[in-house]
PDB file of all heavy atoms in Angstrom:
ATOM      1  N   GLY A  79     -96.740 -76.846-237.138  1.00 49.00           N
ATOM      2  CA  GLY A  79     -97.081 -76.637-235.820  1.00 49.00           C
ATOM      3  C   GLY A  79     -98.341 -77.401-235.411  1.00 49.00           C
ATOM      4  O   GLY A  79     -98.936 -78.206-236.107  1.00 49.00           O
ATOM      5  N   GLN A  80     -98.893 -77.027-234.195  1.00 49.00           N
ATOM      6  CA  GLN A  80    -100.009 -77.763-233.694  1.00 49.00           C
ATOM      7  C   GLN A  80    -101.011 -76.501-233.293  1.00 49.00           C
ATOM      8  O   GLN A  80    -100.566 -75.520-232.915  1.00 49.00           O
ATOM      9  CB  GLN A  80     -99.707 -78.535-232.538  1.00 49.00           C
ATOM     10  CG  GLN A  80     -98.916 -79.737-232.835  1.00 49.00           C
ATOM     11  CD  GLN A  80     -98.461 -80.398-231.638  1.00 49.00           C
ATOM     12  OE1 GLN A  80     -98.849 -80.096-230.503  1.00 49.00           O
ATOM     13  NE2 GLN A  80     -97.807 -81.538-231.758  1.00 49.00           N
ATOM     14  N   GLY A  81    -102.153 -76.767-233.317  1.00 48.00           N
ATOM     15  CA  GLY A  81    -103.266 -75.847-232.751  1.00 48.00           C
ATOM     16  C   GLY A  81    -103.190 -74.459-233.464  1.00 48.00           C
ATOM     17  O   GLY A  81    -103.370 -73.427-232.809  1.00 48.00           O
ATOM     18  N   GLY A  82    -102.930 -74.388-234.694  1.00 48.00           N
ATOM     19  CA  GLY A  82    -102.967 -73.148-235.577  1.00 48.00           C
ATOM     20  C   GLY A  82    -101.652 -72.414-235.415  1.00 48.00           C
ATOM     21  O   GLY A  82    -101.697 -71.313-236.036  1.00 48.00           O
ATOM     22  N   ASP A  83    -100.716 -72.991-234.772  1.00 58.00           N
ATOM     23  CA  ASP A  83     -99.454 -72.232-234.597  1.00 58.00           C
ATOM     24  C   ASP A  83     -98.398 -72.947-235.476  1.00 58.00           C
ATOM     25  O   ASP A  83     -98.458 -74.267-235.657  1.00 58.00           O
ATOM     26  CB  ASP A  83     -98.968 -72.451-233.262  1.00 58.00           C
ATOM     27  CG  ASP A  83     -97.656 -71.419-232.868  1.00 58.00           C
ATOM     28  OD1 ASP A  83     -96.673 -71.833-233.453  1.00 58.00           O
ATOM     29  OD2 ASP A  83     -97.788 -70.554-232.259  1.00 58.00           O
ATOM     30  N   GLN A  84     -97.543 -72.211-236.244  1.00 56.00           N
ATOM     31  CA  GLN A  84     -96.687 -73.004-237.238  1.00 56.00           C
ATOM     32  C   GLN A  84     -95.520 -73.592-236.560  1.00 56.00           C
ATOM     33  O   GLN A  84     -94.593 -74.035-237.290  1.00 56.00           O
ATOM     34  CB  GLN A  84     -96.210 -71.890-238.308  1.00 56.00           C
ATOM     35  CG  GLN A  84     -97.386 -71.547-239.267  1.00 56.00           C
ATOM     36  CD  GLN A  84     -97.885 -72.807-239.936  1.00 56.00           C
ATOM     37  OE1 GLN A  84     -97.212 -73.553-240.627  1.00 56.00           O
ATOM     38  NE2 GLN A  84     -99.219 -73.008-239.858  1.00 56.00           N
ATOM     39  N   GLY A  85     -95.347 -73.541-235.225  1.00 55.00           N
ATOM     40  CA  GLY A  85     -94.325 -74.130-234.692  1.00 55.00           C
ATOM     41  C   GLY A  85     -92.987 -73.303-234.679  1.00 55.00           C
ATOM     42  O   GLY A  85     -93.050 -72.156-235.101  1.00 55.00           O
ATOM     43  N   PHE A  86     -92.041 -73.766-234.075  1.00 59.00           N
ATOM     44  CA  PHE A  86     -90.678 -73.092-234.115  1.00 59.00           C
ATOM     45  C   PHE A  86     -89.797 -73.362-235.204  1.00 59.00           C
ATOM     46  O   PHE A  86     -89.566 -74.482-235.596  1.00 59.00           O
ATOM     47  CB  PHE A  86     -89.999 -73.504-232.709  1.00 59.00           C
ATOM     48  CG  PHE A  86     -90.529 -72.989-231.633  1.00 59.00           C
ATOM     49  CD1 PHE A  86     -91.625 -73.678-230.936  1.00 59.00           C
ATOM     50  CD2 PHE A  86     -90.105 -71.792-230.911  1.00 59.00           C
ATOM     51  CE1 PHE A  86     -92.145 -73.229-229.833  1.00 59.00           C
ATOM     52  CE2 PHE A  86     -90.688 -71.324-229.776  1.00 59.00           C
ATOM     53  CZ  PHE A  86     -91.833 -72.114-229.193  1.00 59.00           C
ATOM     54  N   ASP A  87     -89.378 -72.413-235.917  1.00 59.00           N
ATOM     55  CA  ASP A  87     -88.368 -72.495-237.086  1.00 59.00           C
ATOM     56  C   ASP A  87     -87.067 -72.619-236.445  1.00 59.00           C
ATOM     57  O   ASP A  87     -86.231 -71.774-236.496  1.00 59.00           O
ATOM     58  CB  ASP A  87     -88.581 -71.388-238.080  1.00 59.00           C
ATOM     59  CG  ASP A  87     -87.653 -71.561-239.173  1.00 59.00           C
ATOM     60  OD1 ASP A  87     -87.151 -72.694-239.401  1.00 59.00           O
ATOM     61  OD2 ASP A  87     -87.467 -70.596-239.939  1.00 59.00           O
ATOM     62  N   VAL A  88     -86.656 -73.708-235.854  1.00 56.00           N
ATOM     63  CA  VAL A  88     -85.467 -73.768-235.061  1.00 56.00           C
ATOM     64  C   VAL A  88     -84.218 -74.246-236.023  1.00 56.00           C
ATOM     65  O   VAL A  88     -83.128 -73.987-235.518  1.00 56.00           O
ATOM     66  CB  VAL A  88     -85.594 -74.966-233.934  1.00 56.00           C
ATOM     67  CG1 VAL A  88     -86.779 -74.533-233.025  1.00 56.00           C
ATOM     68  CG2 VAL A  88     -85.819 -76.255-234.495  1.00 56.00           C
ATOM     69  N   GLY A  89     -84.490 -74.652-237.119  1.00 57.00           N
ATOM     70  CA  GLY A  89     -83.331 -75.012-237.851  1.00 57.00           C
ATOM     71  C   GLY A  89     -82.269 -73.953-238.036  1.00 57.00           C
ATOM     72  O   GLY A  89     -81.124 -74.184-237.983  1.00 57.00           O
ATOM     73  N   LYS A  90     -82.679 -72.657-238.247  1.00 62.00           N
ATOM     74  CA  LYS A  90     -81.847 -71.610-238.533  1.00 62.00           C
ATOM     75  C   LYS A  90     -81.128 -71.205-237.228  1.00 62.00           C
ATOM     76  O   LYS A  90     -80.115 -70.385-237.187  1.00 62.00           O
ATOM     77  CB  LYS A  90     -82.628 -70.395-238.966  1.00 62.00           C
ATOM     78  CG  LYS A  90     -83.620 -69.679-238.054  1.00 62.00           C
ATOM     79  CD  LYS A  90     -84.310 -68.587-238.671  1.00 62.00           C
ATOM     80  CE  LYS A  90     -85.314 -67.878-237.757  1.00 62.00           C
ATOM     81  NZ  LYS A  90     -86.053 -66.698-238.335  1.00 62.00           N
ATOM     82  N   HIS A  91     -81.478 -71.693-236.008  1.00 65.00           N
ATOM     83  CA  HIS A  91     -80.876 -71.404-234.770  1.00 65.00           C
ATOM     84  C   HIS A  91     -79.895 -72.342-234.378  1.00 65.00           C
ATOM     85  O   HIS A  91     -79.136 -72.166-233.351  1.00 65.00           O
ATOM     86  CB  HIS A  91     -82.037 -71.205-233.681  1.00 65.00           C
ATOM     87  CG  HIS A  91     -82.944 -70.065-233.989  1.00 65.00           C
ATOM     88  ND1 HIS A  91     -82.558 -68.818-233.838  1.00 65.00           N
ATOM     89  CD2 HIS A  91     -84.263 -70.093-234.275  1.00 65.00           C
ATOM     90  CE1 HIS A  91     -83.567 -67.989-234.129  1.00 65.00           C
ATOM     91  NE2 HIS A  91     -84.690 -68.776-234.364  1.00 65.00           N
ATOM     92  N   SER A  92     -79.935 -73.674-234.815  1.00 72.00           N
ATOM     93  CA  SER A  92     -79.146 -74.686-234.307  1.00 72.00           C
ATOM     94  C   SER A  92     -77.585 -74.370-234.579  1.00 72.00           C
ATOM     95  O   SER A  92     -76.773 -74.763-233.704  1.00 72.00           O
ATOM     96  CB  SER A  92     -79.396 -76.005-234.940  1.00 72.00           C
ATOM     97  OG  SER A  92     -79.311 -76.028-236.330  1.00 72.00           O
ATOM     98  N   ALA A  93     -77.239 -73.733-235.805  1.00 77.00           N
ATOM     99  CA  ALA A  93     -75.848 -73.462-236.006  1.00 77.00           C
ATOM    100  C   ALA A  93     -75.142 -72.594-234.852  1.00 77.00           C
ATOM    101  O   ALA A  93     -74.037 -72.882-234.522  1.00 77.00           O
ATOM    102  CB  ALA A  93     -75.717 -72.762-237.324  1.00 77.00           C
ATOM    103  N   PRO A  94     -75.889 -71.574-234.401  1.00 81.00           N
ATOM    104  CA  PRO A  94     -75.156 -70.829-233.250  1.00 81.00           C
ATOM    105  C   PRO A  94     -74.900 -71.596-231.993  1.00 81.00           C
ATOM    106  O   PRO A  94     -74.013 -71.334-231.401  1.00 81.00           O
ATOM    107  CB  PRO A  94     -76.231 -69.602-233.030  1.00 81.00           C
ATOM    108  CG  PRO A  94     -76.930 -69.385-234.388  1.00 81.00           C
ATOM    109  CD  PRO A  94     -77.054 -70.820-234.942  1.00 81.00           C
ATOM    110  N   LEU A  95     -75.908 -72.497-231.758  1.00 83.00           N
ATOM    111  CA  LEU A  95     -75.663 -73.437-230.555  1.00 83.00           C
ATOM    112  C   LEU A  95     -74.486 -74.220-230.704  1.00 83.00           C
ATOM    113  O   LEU A  95     -73.522 -74.354-229.850  1.00 83.00           O
ATOM    114  CB  LEU A  95     -76.766 -74.266-230.348  1.00 83.00           C
ATOM    115  CG  LEU A  95     -78.175 -73.674-230.086  1.00 83.00           C
ATOM    116  CD1 LEU A  95     -79.226 -74.660-229.821  1.00 83.00           C
ATOM    117  CD2 LEU A  95     -78.064 -72.685-228.838  1.00 83.00           C
ATOM    118  N   LEU A  96     -74.165 -74.831-231.920  1.00 88.00           N
ATOM    119  CA  LEU A  96     -72.985 -75.650-232.221  1.00 88.00           C
ATOM    120  C   LEU A  96     -71.705 -74.805-232.217  1.00 88.00           C
ATOM    121  O   LEU A  96     -70.695 -75.094-231.710  1.00 88.00           O
ATOM    122  CB  LEU A  96     -73.183 -76.280-233.516  1.00 88.00           C
ATOM    123  CG  LEU A  96     -74.278 -77.432-233.585  1.00 88.00           C
ATOM    124  CD1 LEU A  96     -74.464 -77.972-235.080  1.00 88.00           C
ATOM    125  CD2 LEU A  96     -74.072 -78.554-232.609  1.00 88.00           C
ATOM    126  N   ARG A  97     -71.877 -73.571-232.726  1.00 90.00           N
ATOM    127  CA  ARG A  97     -70.702 -72.624-232.682  1.00 90.00           C
ATOM    128  C   ARG A  97     -70.303 -72.303-231.162  1.00 90.00           C
ATOM    129  O   ARG A  97     -69.281 -72.238-230.974  1.00 90.00           O
ATOM    130  CB  ARG A  97     -70.940 -71.407-233.508  1.00 90.00           C
ATOM    131  CG  ARG A  97     -70.852 -71.562-234.944  1.00 90.00           C
ATOM    132  CD  ARG A  97     -70.725 -70.234-235.637  1.00 90.00           C
ATOM    133  NE  ARG A  97     -71.845 -69.394-235.558  1.00 90.00           N
ATOM    134  CZ  ARG A  97     -72.913 -69.278-236.329  1.00 90.00           C
ATOM    135  NH1 ARG A  97     -73.046 -70.157-237.274  1.00 90.00           N
ATOM    136  NH2 ARG A  97     -73.887 -68.500-236.099  1.00 90.00           N
ATOM    137  N   ARG A  98     -71.291 -72.076-230.411  1.00 88.00           N
ATOM    138  CA  ARG A  98     -70.934 -71.758-228.941  1.00 88.00           C
ATOM    139  C   ARG A  98     -70.274 -72.982-228.358  1.00 88.00           C
ATOM    140  O   ARG A  98     -69.316 -72.780-227.696  1.00 88.00           O
ATOM    141  CB  ARG A  98     -72.269 -71.446-228.266  1.00 88.00           C
ATOM    142  CG  ARG A  98     -71.948 -71.078-226.761  1.00 88.00           C
ATOM    143  CD  ARG A  98     -73.271 -70.948-226.015  1.00 88.00           C
ATOM    144  NE  ARG A  98     -72.983 -70.864-224.588  1.00 88.00           N
ATOM    145  CZ  ARG A  98     -73.907 -71.049-223.613  1.00 88.00           C
ATOM    146  NH1 ARG A  98     -75.157 -71.204-223.887  1.00 88.00           N
ATOM    147  NH2 ARG A  98     -73.585 -71.058-222.290  1.00 88.00           N
ATOM    148  N   MET A  99     -70.645 -74.159-228.588  1.00 90.00           N
ATOM    149  CA  MET A  99     -70.083 -75.288-227.996  1.00 90.00           C
ATOM    150  C   MET A  99     -68.664 -75.445-228.593  1.00 90.00           C
ATOM    151  O   MET A  99     -67.640 -75.824-227.927  1.00 90.00           O
ATOM    152  CB  MET A  99     -70.836 -76.649-228.288  1.00 90.00           C
ATOM    153  CG  MET A  99     -72.166 -76.646-227.550  1.00 90.00           C
ATOM    154  SD  MET A  99     -73.188 -78.065-228.090  1.00 90.00           S
ATOM    155  CE  MET A  99     -72.089 -79.411-227.419  1.00 90.00           C
ATOM    156  N   GLY A 100     -68.470 -75.216-229.955  1.00 93.00           N
ATOM    157  CA  GLY A 100     -67.121 -75.237-230.523  1.00 93.00           C
ATOM    158  C   GLY A 100     -66.161 -74.252-229.900  1.00 93.00           C
ATOM    159  O   GLY A 100     -64.974 -74.548-229.612  1.00 93.00           O
ATOM    160  N   GLU A 101     -66.692 -73.151-229.633  1.00 94.00           N
ATOM    161  CA  GLU A 101     -65.698 -71.990-228.977  1.00 94.00           C
ATOM    162  C   GLU A 101     -65.479 -72.448-227.638  1.00 94.00           C
ATOM    163  O   GLU A 101     -64.161 -72.162-227.222  1.00 94.00           O
ATOM    164  CB  GLU A 101     -66.500 -70.625-229.065  1.00 94.00           C
ATOM    165  CG  GLU A 101     -66.642 -70.071-230.488  1.00 94.00           C
ATOM    166  CD  GLU A 101     -65.155 -69.754-231.103  1.00 94.00           C
ATOM    167  OE1 GLU A 101     -64.261 -69.424-230.338  1.00 94.00           O
ATOM    168  OE2 GLU A 101     -65.118 -69.744-232.312  1.00 94.00           O
ATOM    169  N   GLU A 102     -66.439 -72.859-226.830  1.00 91.00           N
ATOM    170  CA  GLU A 102     -66.049 -73.356-225.503  1.00 91.00           C
ATOM    171  C   GLU A 102     -65.044 -74.550-225.423  1.00 91.00           C
ATOM    172  O   GLU A 102     -64.053 -74.380-224.723  1.00 91.00           O
ATOM    173  CB  GLU A 102     -67.356 -73.908-224.839  1.00 91.00           C
ATOM    174  CG  GLU A 102     -68.354 -72.804-224.600  1.00 91.00           C
ATOM    175  CD  GLU A 102     -68.369 -72.144-223.246  1.00 91.00           C
ATOM    176  OE1 GLU A 102     -67.532 -72.714-222.398  1.00 91.00           O
ATOM    177  OE2 GLU A 102     -69.099 -71.244-222.872  1.00 91.00           O
ATOM    178  N   LEU A 103     -65.159 -75.428-226.339  1.00 92.00           N
ATOM    179  CA  LEU A 103     -64.121 -76.591-226.387  1.00 92.00           C
ATOM    180  C   LEU A 103     -62.809 -76.075-226.893  1.00 92.00           C
ATOM    181  O   LEU A 103     -61.788 -76.435-226.374  1.00 92.00           O
ATOM    182  CB  LEU A 103     -64.694 -77.607-227.329  1.00 92.00           C
ATOM    183  CG  LEU A 103     -63.816 -78.875-227.384  1.00 92.00           C
ATOM    184  CD1 LEU A 103     -63.396 -79.516-226.025  1.00 92.00           C
ATOM    185  CD2 LEU A 103     -64.423 -79.945-228.236  1.00 92.00           C
ATOM    186  N   ALA A 104     -62.945 -75.124-227.819  1.00 94.00           N
ATOM    187  CA  ALA A 104     -61.546 -74.548-228.247  1.00 94.00           C
ATOM    188  C   ALA A 104     -60.815 -73.890-227.185  1.00 94.00           C
ATOM    189  O   ALA A 104     -59.589 -73.975-227.071  1.00 94.00           O
ATOM    190  CB  ALA A 104     -61.861 -73.528-229.436  1.00 94.00           C
ATOM    191  N   GLN A 105     -61.654 -73.154-226.382  1.00 93.00           N
ATOM    192  CA  GLN A 105     -60.918 -72.529-225.215  1.00 93.00           C
ATOM    193  C   GLN A 105     -60.329 -73.500-224.244  1.00 93.00           C
ATOM    194  O   GLN A 105     -59.134 -73.265-223.746  1.00 93.00           O
ATOM    195  CB  GLN A 105     -61.852 -71.543-224.417  1.00 93.00           C
ATOM    196  CG  GLN A 105     -61.447 -70.817-223.304  1.00 93.00           C
ATOM    197  CD  GLN A 105     -62.456 -69.847-222.683  1.00 93.00           C
ATOM    198  OE1 GLN A 105     -63.499 -69.729-223.087  1.00 93.00           O
ATOM    199  NE2 GLN A 105     -62.043 -69.303-221.593  1.00 93.00           N
ATOM    200  N   VAL A 106     -61.028 -74.624-223.984  1.00 90.00           N
ATOM    201  CA  VAL A 106     -60.431 -75.627-223.128  1.00 90.00           C
ATOM    202  C   VAL A 106     -59.148 -76.193-223.853  1.00 90.00           C
ATOM    203  O   VAL A 106     -58.136 -76.315-223.085  1.00 90.00           O
ATOM    204  CB  VAL A 106     -61.424 -76.763-222.848  1.00 90.00           C
ATOM    205  CG1 VAL A 106     -60.772 -77.936-222.156  1.00 90.00           C
ATOM    206  CG2 VAL A 106     -62.579 -76.216-222.230  1.00 90.00           C
ATOM    207  N   ILE A 107     -59.257 -76.498-224.998  1.00 92.00           N
ATOM    208  CA  ILE A 107     -58.071 -76.986-225.796  1.00 92.00           C
ATOM    209  C   ILE A 107     -56.847 -76.024-225.676  1.00 92.00           C
ATOM    210  O   ILE A 107     -55.714 -76.368-225.401  1.00 92.00           O
ATOM    211  CB  ILE A 107     -58.326 -77.422-227.157  1.00 92.00           C
ATOM    212  CG1 ILE A 107     -59.379 -78.606-227.109  1.00 92.00           C
ATOM    213  CG2 ILE A 107     -57.050 -77.749-227.966  1.00 92.00           C
ATOM    214  CD1 ILE A 107     -59.938 -78.793-228.441  1.00 92.00           C
ATOM    215  N   GLU A 108     -57.233 -74.770-225.994  1.00 92.00           N
ATOM    216  CA  GLU A 108     -56.085 -73.762-225.980  1.00 92.00           C
ATOM    217  C   GLU A 108     -55.553 -73.516-224.631  1.00 92.00           C
ATOM    218  O   GLU A 108     -54.149 -73.396-224.407  1.00 92.00           O
ATOM    219  CB  GLU A 108     -56.674 -72.413-226.366  1.00 92.00           C
ATOM    220  CG  GLU A 108     -55.863 -71.214-226.137  1.00 92.00           C
ATOM    221  CD  GLU A 108     -54.611 -71.132-227.057  1.00 92.00           C
ATOM    222  OE1 GLU A 108     -54.443 -71.934-227.964  1.00 92.00           O
ATOM    223  OE2 GLU A 108     -53.729 -70.272-226.752  1.00 92.00           O
ATOM    224  N   GLU A 109     -56.257 -73.738-223.562  1.00 91.00           N
ATOM    225  CA  GLU A 109     -55.824 -73.574-222.154  1.00 91.00           C
ATOM    226  C   GLU A 109     -54.934 -74.716-221.677  1.00 91.00           C
ATOM    227  O   GLU A 109     -53.998 -74.575-220.852  1.00 91.00           O
ATOM    228  CB  GLU A 109     -56.887 -73.283-221.268  1.00 91.00           C
ATOM    229  CG  GLU A 109     -57.649 -72.004-221.424  1.00 91.00           C
ATOM    230  CD  GLU A 109     -58.853 -71.926-220.504  1.00 91.00           C
ATOM    231  OE1 GLU A 109     -59.224 -72.986-219.907  1.00 91.00           O
ATOM    232  OE2 GLU A 109     -59.399 -70.782-220.293  1.00 91.00           O
ATOM    233  N   ARG A 110     -55.170 -75.851-222.319  1.00 90.00           N
ATOM    234  CA  ARG A 110     -54.693 -77.129-221.680  1.00 90.00           C
ATOM    235  C   ARG A 110     -53.589 -77.808-222.547  1.00 90.00           C
ATOM    236  O   ARG A 110     -52.769 -78.609-221.989  1.00 90.00           O
ATOM    237  CB  ARG A 110     -55.777 -78.016-221.305  1.00 90.00           C
ATOM    238  CG  ARG A 110     -56.732 -77.457-220.425  1.00 90.00           C
ATOM    239  CD  ARG A 110     -57.901 -78.341-220.098  1.00 90.00           C
ATOM    240  NE  ARG A 110     -58.928 -77.794-219.069  1.00 90.00           N
ATOM    241  CZ  ARG A 110     -59.611 -78.444-218.290  1.00 90.00           C
ATOM    242  NH1 ARG A 110     -59.578 -79.731-218.228  1.00 90.00           N
ATOM    243  NH2 ARG A 110     -60.450 -77.746-217.497  1.00 90.00           N
ATOM    244  N   VAL A 111     -53.658 -77.757-223.876  1.00 90.00           N
ATOM    245  CA  VAL A 111     -52.968 -78.621-224.685  1.00 90.00           C
ATOM    246  C   VAL A 111     -51.842 -77.699-225.434  1.00 90.00           C
ATOM    247  O   VAL A 111     -52.161 -76.676-225.943  1.00 90.00           O
ATOM    248  CB  VAL A 111     -53.786 -79.298-225.839  1.00 90.00           C
ATOM    249  CG1 VAL A 111     -52.934 -80.221-226.707  1.00 90.00           C
ATOM    250  CG2 VAL A 111     -54.885 -80.089-225.029  1.00 90.00           C
TER     251      VAL A 111
END
């Protein structure tokens, strides 16, 4: 981090974002194909 702050430990949060996108795309595919 900067200024005495250790910053955001975002690595552990990125997987849920990708899972959300995957589920959204899966729904589109299921509805259309």
